[in-house]
Amino acid sequence: MRRTLTVLLLLAGPAAAQVAQEDPDWPCVQRLVPTLGAAAYWGGPEPAEGTNWRADPAVAALVAAISPRGVAEERGTALIEAYLAGLPAEARPAAAARVMEGLTEETNVQRSALIERLRALTRRQRGVGERAARLTTQMRALPQESPERADLLTERTLTIREFDEVERTLRYACEAPVAMEARLGAYARALMDGQ
């Protein structure tokens, strides 16, 4: 309980802004990378100039099938392998480049939405921390026997419990962007191997 209160008080004060220098609303341990670049995962050919991955129905269908977060990496890589195996060898590098372009774009769209939800949750968490700190200050200002103190203690306890629950959610949610990045890397490897 004391550790939680310390965290709450830190969140309510200016020290919290110093801890997260780059983005005060980013709650995760890993550094915030707002947009993923294909080059970080992809060593294959660039998509042909003026092409759009959405213009190729097969590529668009594959990207739509494997880019949602709920799709297991193994299923996605199997679909990539099957798609590339069905193409003539000379068409595979260009097709793989278009698929990678689409997967990077779709992953970025999903990650951006997730990052914004994490930031919103952090802002909410900061408000809960400030409320707990305010309740603590009010409670300490009252005499021990004061009936209002008991009410404040109950409200403070519930507020700290809410803070702890959101904190657990944040720790779990911070793994989602990492998992998306890892899956994009696995897809890139499958595309490179299938060329």
Side-chain angles (χ1 to χ4, degrees):
M1 181 72 95
R2 178 172 286 173
R3 181 177 177 274
T4 301
L5 182 57
T6 302
V7 170
L8 290 171
L9 292 173
L10 283 174
L11 281 173
Q18 294 172 353
V19 172
Q21 295 171 358
E22 292 181 25
D23 185 342
D25 292 335
W26 181 243
C28 304
V29 174
Q30 66 271 19
R31 185 170 184 219
L32 174 60
V33 178
T35 305
L36 303 177
Y41 303 91
W42 180 247
E46 293 290 318
E49 190 72 32
T51 62
N52 181 344
W53 65 270
R54 286 187 175 90
D56 183 329
V59 169
L62 178 61
V63 170
I66 67 175
S67 63
R69 281 181 50 204
V71 176
E73 181 182 304
E74 297 78 24
R75 171 136 175 82
T77 55
L79 288 172
I80 288 170
E81 290 164 3
Y83 168 71
L84 292 174
L87 295 175
E90 64 275 1
R92 290 178 191 161
R98 288 192 304 275
V99 172
M100 187 63 196
E101 180 183 29
L103 288 171
T104 303
E105 185 177 317
E106 289 301 306
T107 299
N108 276 323
V109 168
Q110 293 172 37
R111 276 184 81 254
S112 293
L114 177 62
I115 287 168
E116 190 46 48
R117 285 195 301 270
L118 284 166
R119 286 175 170 153
L121 197 54
T122 301
R123 289 187 292 272
R124 178 175 169 246
Q125 185 75 328
R126 190 177 300 119
V128 173
E130 289 168 355
R131 187 171 70 227
R134 194 170 44 254
L135 289 167
T136 300
T137 301
Q138 291 171 354
M139 197 176 74
R140 287 181 179 161
L142 295 172
Q144 284 285 68
E145 359 10 269
S146 170
E148 294 94 10
R149 185 181 173 95
D151 292 341
L152 287 172
L153 178 61
T154 300
E155 186 179 351
R156 179 178 164 266
T157 301
L158 292 172
T159 302
I160 290 171
R161 187 176 302 147
E162 177 185 352
F163 183 91
D164 288 342
E165 289 171 6
V166 173
E167 195 68 20
R168 283 190 294 277
T169 301
L170 275 172
R171 279 194 297 266
Y172 171 75
C174 281
E175 295 303 315
V178 175
M180 294 175 80
E181 293 162 26
R183 191 181 71 166
L184 183 60
Y187 285 173
R189 286 187 298 279
L191 288 164
M192 291 291 291
D193 292 346
Q195 290 185 62

